[in-house]
Amino acid sequence: MRIKGFLERKFDPPAPFVKAILNSKSLNLSKLLDLHIDTGASTSIILGKDVRYLKLDTAKLKKAERNVGGIGGVVNTYVIEDANLMFRTEDGTLRKERVRMLVGQHDLSRLDEESRRLILIMPSLLGRDVLRRYKLMYDERSNEVCLER
């Protein structure tokens, strides 16, 4: 079973991504996302621009046990407890992955304009919590990104 990803060439060097539908019954949510495949991220997380795109109200989400830190600093972190990621496989079927999806919200009011701009272009991440279930194949020369099981 293979899930094809793609290289996003607006990043230099190009970055590996995969498309997934984020579902949550409790939030009445089902939307397509581009997730950056990030082996350095321990946990998958929805970040700024996608928080806005999904119209997530963090006041209605459960606060995570601890905040997450990384590039962009420490973010207020929330949890979508009933999240599922739906991936389209090469043969056209949908593969469902249950995930405890984190939602990271930067305090934009504390940042200067350039920092805000950079934070709001950071992609959401598919982390090792999901990647560990797959073999990741990444070959920029042949333009191949694939999760395989």
Side-chain angles (χ1 to χ4, degrees), residues 9-136:
R9 298 201 176 271
K10 71 180 178 187
F11 294 97
D12 186 23
F17 277 75
V18 66
K19 291 187 177 292
I21 298 169
L22 173 62
N23 288 326
S24 166
K25 286 185 181 178
S26 67
L27 299 176
N28 194 28
L29 178 66
S30 184
K31 291 256 186 160
L32 184 65
L33 292 174
D34 289 342
L35 298 170
H36 174 53
I37 297 171
D38 187 349
T39 60
S42 58
T43 309
S44 300
I45 187 167
I46 304 300
L47 293 172
K49 74 180 180 73
D50 288 325
V51 172
R52 287 181 174 193
Y53 162 69
L54 297 170
K55 296 181 174 87
L56 294 176
D57 181 358
T58 55
K60 295 181 180 177
L61 297 176
K62 178 183 172 189
K63 186 84 170 100
E65 299 80 31
R66 61 185 170 86
N67 288 330
V68 172
I71 295 175
V74 176
V75 294
N76 295 318
T77 308
Y78 306 88
V79 181
I80 302 174
E81 296 281 3
D82 68 337
N84 291 300
L85 291 173
M86 304 293 288
F87 298 96
R88 174 96 40 210
T89 65
E90 238 178 10
D91 68 5
T93 60
L94 286 177
R95 173 74 188 179
K96 177 177 164 180
E97 292 291 346
R98 180 97 171 86
V99 62
R100 186 172 182 268
M101 182 62 77
L102 297 183
V103 176
Q105 187 69 51
H106 290 84
D107 183 356
L108 298 177
S109 68
R110 302 180 71 181
L111 301 174
D112 61 66
E113 189 174 327
E114 178 63 9
S115 297
R116 274 194 299 277
R117 186 188 70 75
L118 291 172
I119 292 296
L120 290 174
I121 62 170
M122 286 175 45
S124 296
L125 306 177
L126 185 68
R128 293 190 313 272
D129 58 327
V130 175
L131 294 174
R132 69 191 305 186
R133 305 172 196 175
Y134 294 89
K135 175 172 77 172
L136 170 62

